[in-house]
Amino acid sequence: MGRFDGKAAIVTGAAGGIGEEYAKALAGEGAQVVVADVSAEGGERVANEIVAAGGQAFFQHTDVSEEESANACADACMAKFGRLDLLVNNAAIFGGMKLDFLITVPWDYYEKFMSVNLNGQLLMVRACHEKMAANGGGAIVNQSSTAAWLYSGFYGLAKVGINGLTQQLATELGGSNVRINAIAPGPIDTEANRSSTPQSIVNEMVDKLPLKRIGQPKDLVGMLLFLLSDEADWVTGQIFNVDGGQVIRS
């Protein structure tokens, strides 16, 4: 028996990295999983690996920045599994991200970046929340970052937005028994991080951590499963750092 037996989940950005870890962990706890991503190759691989391990999953091509695509993802979950209970908003532009300042980043890139990293999470919530409510409620986890509390340019600004989005939506969704929280990871060892952040900066961040090692995607899984589970039934509108002690808030 798994914590999510009989429940259906959408995980965006699930074709690799942290999203892949999330999707496989949910499937391992009994959830039926929609592997949502723009990468067909990676998404199909993750879905096939879940099925090969005895789980239930399928890949759905999803561009979270497009309302029609977000709605199609939610509809596909309903068509395949007959319900929608859980949403993990993990999709983001990060791997290969431009390193630039807010005052100089090309505007078209900034707009595309925000359309995925901030607006995409809202579009997915808008696509899913009524389907969750119709089944008695559900739970959503947004992916934030400790970058929200540190200087991180437009990436940090997007994560500040995610935190505010999470808090505001908690009020709007609470009456439908839909909970929403966010995880704010510290530095995590993923291919996207290795391609986007200079190793010298990563090493400096890790050296300053109370727990002096870079995080692994699996370090985030426990918090994800807790926040989506009935154990967190009275938890909503919160942002949880999972960061080796990088940021301490009062």
Side-chain angles (χ1 to χ4, degrees), residues 113-181:
F113 185 90
M114 288 298 182
S115 74
V116 174
N117 288 42
L118 177 57
N119 297 341
Q121 297 203 17
L122 178 55
L123 282 175
M124 287 302 301
V125 172
R126 287 164 61 112
C128 295
H129 75 94
E130 290 182 346
K131 294 174 172 58
M132 293 178 169
N135 197 43
I140 301 168
V141 170
N142 292 334
Q143 192 82 322
S144 180
S145 170
T146 54
W149 294 287
L150 304 168
Y151 173 71
S152 302
F154 51 88
Y155 180 76
L157 179 60
K159 296 307 185 181
V160 170
I162 293 303
N163 292 352
L165 184 69
T166 302
Q167 293 166 336
Q168 299 302 316
L169 285 174
T171 296
E172 294 190 14
L173 300 176
S176 300
N177 196 34
V178 176
R179 300 183 298 101
I180 183 166
N181 295 286

Side-chain angles (χ1 to χ4, degrees), residues 1 60 69 72 84 87 92 108 115 161 165 167 171 203 217 238 243:
M1 294 291 291
Q60 174 71 22
S69 186
L84 174 52
L87 169 63
D108 59 345
S115 74
L165 184 69
Q167 293 166 336
T171 296
N203 291 340
Q238 306 302 310
D243 64 351

